[in-house]
Amino acid sequence: MKITKICCIGAGYVGGPTMAVIAQKCPHIQVTVVDLNEQRIKDWNDPNTDNIPIYEPGLSEIVAEARDRNLFFSTEVEKAIDEAQVIFISVNTPTKTYGKGKGMAADLKYIELCARQIAKVAKQNKIVVEKSTLPVRTAEAIKSILDNTGNGVQFQILSNPEFLAEGTAVTDLLNPDRILIGGDTTPEGQNAINALVDVYANWVEKDKILTTNVWSSELSKLTANAFLAQRISSINAMSELCEKTGADVTEVARAIGMDSRIGSKFLKASVGFGGSCFQKDILNLVYIAKSYGLNEVADYWEQVIIMNDHQKRRFSNKIVQTLYNTVADKKITFLGWAFKKDTNDTRESAAIYVADDLINEQAKISVYDPKVSRNKMLSDLDYLQTRSNEENSNSLAIFDNAYEACKGSHAIAVLTEWDEFTTYDWKKIYDSMHKPAFLFDGRNILNAKEVEAIGFIYKGIGS
Ligand code: UDX
Ligand code: ADP
């Protein structure tokens, strides 16, 4: 089968960039991205592509090139499903906040809704592709809904997990380490796999396109994220030991990273990992392991999350302790709110939890982030439901300029590694602050010696 029409349900951080790149690289394929959220679709269609709802370096240019040529954003979900041969499901699968598996299992209500919608609309055979990260054997549930509620047409379910990291989504999509496609071992399943392979082969070398059975593909995605997160928790665990022993975690990371068996990537100690995937996927893995009675496996992976929570709490505790055990009414400035640089995504960002802890200690937080909106920051805090929305907005002052945000503050905490922070006139910032002026570098991006020479009391992670 030659694919000429693709529909993607969900115009978020995964669906948007992925479809933009497919459309750019496959001008012969019509790609329609649909979402229930009208505002989101309106923003994707903004005549000025700098205003699209997702910030990713290079994305606005790709959208400008492909949009209205073969890339479309629409709220007409059913029409797009009806027309497409292939339907990607890229809706969110957050951790459940209610009922069985609360706080651990993935909430599949959006996935189920998609499956039901596809079943209702489809009048011809379709390939349905799981793009969102899903618990192992979700494909089974999707298939059951499709087969039992559909109009008798044939569905092939493929798992094609997305490995892009936010902030580098466009380069990751253009030059992926690998593409993974899982499908049924039947001839029909293999045909569906081959059809999707042909789409990616427009720009990805064939030997980088791996095909597996559906369950291996689903589990590989969870495994990849669990392994990556585990590296961060491992180096973060060492960072605490470094602080006690006089070792420097950056030096340790460099020394072990040169071991080719270990490798140098993902060894940056930090205030803790955030993002929409790591925590959610590991909790998911833990939940699945527990549900099979594999308690040791579950405990093993859960420790990665426990360590990450500890690292965030340790950072806020350090701020309080260093500021003479009280931050009440002190102004503390956060540089960065996003969970990493080059994205406006804040899901599970360490900044949210550190702010929450410090507000509990009655600190006044000022924030500057180059890409995150004021409403987003406030709604992130409100979501924790620690205190009233009014109290949150009284405790959080949001600035669109870092120098203003730092003026008169007792301490600065770097929560995101935005490049621009390293280019600041730190002497000027120091002069505008309350003394002694403290600098807590949650990302180890500043030169400790240089800022100490200015007069800052500097505390990084793991030294
Ligand atoms: C991750 C995976 O990398 C990606 O393959 C998957 O598809 C989705 O989840 P993402 O969450 O976008 O991507 O970002 P990533 O670069 O992995 O960073 C996650 C968090 O870990 C960030 O908060 C980052 O700052 C932190 N991190 C990363 C560290 O603290 N230290 C490191 O060495 C690397
Ligand atoms: P991700 O990081 O996984 O892409 P996002 O939250 O950024 O997650 O994007 C998921 C998108 O999916 C949201 O814009 C949401 O409105 C959309 N969505 C969820 N359920 C449906 C559905 N049934 N039909 C269409 N869009 C949906």
Side-chain angles (χ1 to χ4, degrees):
M1 181 181 26
K2 188 114 189 89
I3 292 171
T4 53
K5 282 192 179 167
I6 289 177
C7 157
C8 171
I9 309 180
Y13 282 90
V14 173
T18 310
M19 293 303 128
V21 167
I22 291 183
Q24 189 208 28
K25 291 293 177 185
C26 311
H28 56 284
I29 300 180
Q30 181 184 313
V31 181
T32 307
V33 191
V34 293
D35 203 296
L36 297 173
N37 183 333
E38 285 179 20
Q39 186 60 46
R40 211 164 210 188
I41 291 299
K42 202 162 155 241
D43 292 341
W44 276 110
N45 282 321
D46 195 297
N48 179 351
T49 51
D50 288 338
N51 298 334
I52 54 177
I54 284 167
Y55 174 71
E56 278 292 339
L59 181 60
S60 126
E61 292 80 353
I62 292 184
V63 172
E65 179 189 331
R67 198 178 58 191
D68 299 329
R69 178 189 72 188
N70 62 327
L71 174 66
F72 303 91
F73 294 92
S74 159
T75 49
E76 290 185 281
V77 181
E78 299 198 347
K79 178 167 178 276
I81 292 174
D82 180 32
E83 289 176 354
Q85 300 143 299
V86 179
I87 300 149
F88 284 85
I89 304 185
S90 288
V91 301
N92 36 338
T93 51
T95 305
K96 269 186 93 174
T97 53
Y98 53 86
K100 188 158 180 283
K102 177 178 171 182
M104 293 207 124
D107 193 339
L108 297 179
K109 67 179 178 201
Y110 305 111
I111 298 280
E112 175 164 346
L113 199 71
C114 287
R116 288 187 186 279
Q117 238 166 345
I118 296 169
K120 186 175 123 202
V121 174
K123 289 182 225 67
Q124 290 137 12
N125 296 352
K126 309 260 179 215
I127 299 174
V128 176
V129 186
E130 302 176 345
K131 198 68 181 158
S132 326
T133 311
L134 296 170
V136 191
R137 301 202 79 90
T138 302
E140 209 166 35
I142 297 180
K143 185 154 183 49
S144 159
I145 294 170
L146 290 174
D147 289 347
N148 292 307
T149 56
N151 306 314
V153 299
Q154 295 294 310
F155 293 102
Q156 281 302 321
I157 323 288
L158 301 180
S159 160
N160 172 220
E162 188 45 70
F163 293 102
L164 68 80
E166 289 174 36
T168 51
V170 170
T171 47
D172 292 345
L173 285 161
L174 292 174
N175 306 298
D177 285 343
R178 74 337 206 153
I179 297 287
L180 182 58
I181 303 175
D184 267 0
T185 45
T186 57
E188 296 81 12
Q190 295 301 305
N191 284 343
I193 291 179
N194 291 339
L196 193 56
V197 167
D198 287 345
V199 173
Y200 285 107
N202 282 295
W203 78 99
V204 181
E205 295 138 62
K206 274 258 169 80
D207 59 2
K208 286 190 174 168
I209 307 180
L210 300 184
T211 61
T212 63
N213 77 33
V214 181
W215 325 123
S216 302
S217 171
E218 286 181 339
L219 188 58
S220 297
K221 170 69 186 198
L222 290 185
T223 309
N225 280 347
F227 272 55
L228 290 169
Q230 183 198 41
R231 280 173 74 92
I232 303 170
S233 277
S234 299
I235 198 74
N236 282 345
M238 291 305 161
S239 76
E240 189 169 15
L241 197 54
C242 285
E243 288 169 24
K244 294 287 181 216
T245 55
D248 178 332
V249 77
T250 312
E251 292 177 351
V252 172
R254 194 182 315 130
I256 64 159
M258 285 172 74
D259 186 323
S260 60
R261 294 166 303 175
I262 298 175
S264 61
K265 291 181 183 156
F266 261 70
L267 282 180
K268 259 210 163 104
S270 71
V271 56
F273 60 74
S276 66
C277 284
F278 285 173
Q279 173 159 314
K280 183 191 72 167
D281 289 354
I282 293 176
L283 287 173
N284 213 219
L285 198 61
V286 170
Y287 184 73
I288 293 169
K290 276 196 181 147
S291 71
Y292 286 110
L294 308 178
N295 292 330
E296 290 76 9
V297 177
D299 291 347
Y300 179 77
W301 286 108
E302 191 167 18
Q303 194 59 35
V304 173
I305 301 291
I306 293 172
M307 189 62 225
N308 197 48
D309 288 340
H310 171 66
Q311 189 76 348
K312 293 182 265 187
R313 179 67 34 85
R314 202 166 79 74
F315 189 73
S316 47
N317 283 345
K318 189 191 289 192
I319 294 178
V320 177
Q321 277 164 15
T322 313
L323 295 182
Y324 317 109
N325 285 317
T326 174
V327 289
D329 293 322
K330 288 181 181 167
K331 178 175 168 181
I332 299 176
T333 301
F334 280 20
L335 292 181
W337 188 268
F339 82 96
K340 63 189 273 196
K341 72 173 179 179
D342 291 338
T343 178
N344 59 350
D345 194 353
T346 63
R347 285 176 286 181
E348 291 301 330
S349 180
I352 305 167
Y353 297 93
V354 176
D356 191 52
D357 283 350
L358 294 176
I359 295 172
N360 279 343
E361 294 290 335
Q362 300 186 354
K364 298 284 180 207
I365 309 290
S366 295
V367 194
Y368 165 74
D369 186 288
K371 291 287 175 194
V372 179
S373 73
R374 179 191 167 78
N375 287 346
K376 191 81 207 52
M377 294 183 199
L378 281 172
S379 72
D380 287 338
L381 262 187
D382 292 343
Y383 187 75
L384 297 182
Q385 297 188 337
T386 313
R387 60 191 79 72
S388 72
N389 297 4
E390 195 192 349
E391 283 172 289
N392 280 336
S393 69
N394 289 337
S395 306
L396 201 69
I398 297 156
F399 291 81
D400 52 18
N401 171 306
Y403 292 89
E404 287 302 315
C406 293
K407 230 178 235 171
S409 68
H410 293 76
I412 294 171
V414 178
L415 272 308
T416 314
E417 71 281 22
W418 286 102
D419 290 338
E420 65 172 67
F421 299 162
T422 62
T423 66
Y424 287 173
D425 181 345
W426 283 97
K427 171 83 173 72
K428 186 173 163 193
I429 291 176
Y430 176 81
D431 288 341
S432 75
M433 288 174 65
H434 227 274
K435 303 296 174 328
F438 297 88
L439 186 45
F440 297 91
D441 188 353
R443 296 287 180 167
N444 288 353
I445 56 169
L446 300 173
N447 183 315
K449 290 219 170 64
E450 276 174 31
V451 292
E452 278 169 351
I454 293 171
F456 278 106
I457 299 174
Y458 176 90
K459 301 252 180 225
I461 301 271
S463 60

